Amino acid sequence: MNDCIFCKIIKGEIPSTKVYEDNDMVIIKDIAPQAPVHLLLLPKEHFANIVEMTDAQAQTLGRCLKKLSTLVDELGLQGGFRLVSNKGADACQSVEHLHIHVLGGTKLTEKMG
Ligand code: 5GP
Ligand code: ZN
């Protein structure tokens, strides 16, 4: 995907603060944090959202989430965290490369789910 900003971040063509990387994903700091810890989990393979996701991509995403569960302490999420993935206009998705927001580092006040 030539014009995808998250693909460019994954390839290092746009700078970001990466806090974790492996073959499946990178985890970066969100540029406009909504919580003291606001990370974005980006699968390296480009797909727009979970509706577009193949079975193989779903398996990869499962591995990513399992890995995330082992990074809780080093990411400063010991008190808990919230995962959010926006899909489409009603959810105000602004980047069409699947990403999971990881929010924490404080008591999160607005509970939408
Ligand atoms: P969405 O609205 O699609 O769920 O979330 C997109 C997120 O990407 C937003 O929270 C926004 O702050 C973040 N974002 C957009 N552009 C960049 C960027 O260039 N670098 C980083 N680190 N985050 C970005
Ligand atoms: Zn992409």
Side-chain angles (χ1 to χ4, degrees), residues 1 4-8 10 44-47 96-97:
M1 275 289 162
C4 171
I5 58 169
F6 285 171
C7 281
K8 288 180 177 168
I10 289 161
K44 285 187 171 176
E45 191 177 347
H46 180 97
F47 59 101
E96 298 285 321
H97 178 128

Side-chain angles (χ1 to χ4, degrees), residues 1-14 18 21-28 30 39-53 57 60-61 64 84-88 92-101:
M1 275 289 162
N2 293 336
D3 57 351
C4 171
I5 58 169
F6 285 171
C7 281
K8 288 180 177 168
I9 283 174
I10 289 161
K11 285 188 271 183
E13 294 172 5
I14 292 177
K18 290 183 183 173
E21 179 166 14
D22 64 20
N23 288 335
D24 292 326
M25 65 168 162
V26 298
I27 303 176
I28 64 170
D30 196 291
L39 305 171
L40 299 171
L41 186 164
L42 312 177
K44 285 187 171 176
E45 191 177 347
H46 180 97
F47 59 101
N49 54 60
I50 64 160
V51 175
E52 307 289 328
M53 184 167 64
Q57 289 164 341
T60 303
L61 184 60
C64 293
V84 175
S85 190
N86 296 313
K87 191 276 174 208
C92 304
Q93 183 179 9
S94 61
V95 180
E96 298 285 321
H97 178 128
L98 182 120
H99 51 284
I100 310 284
H101 295 261

Side-chain angles (χ1 to χ4, degrees), residues 35-86:
V37 179
H38 185 173
L39 305 171
L40 299 171
L41 186 164
L42 312 177
K44 285 187 171 176
E45 191 177 347
H46 180 97
F47 59 101
N49 54 60
I50 64 160
V51 175
E52 307 289 328
M53 184 167 64
T54 65
D55 288 351
Q57 289 164 341
Q59 280 194 337
T60 303
L61 184 60
R63 269 200 311 277
C64 293
L65 293 174
K66 185 66 185 161
K67 183 66 196 183
L68 176 66
S69 75
T70 71
L71 301 172
V72 164
D73 285 353
E74 70 183 79
L75 296 178
L77 298 166
Q78 299 91 334
F81 55 91
R82 183 175 296 160
L83 303 182
V84 175
S85 190
N86 296 313

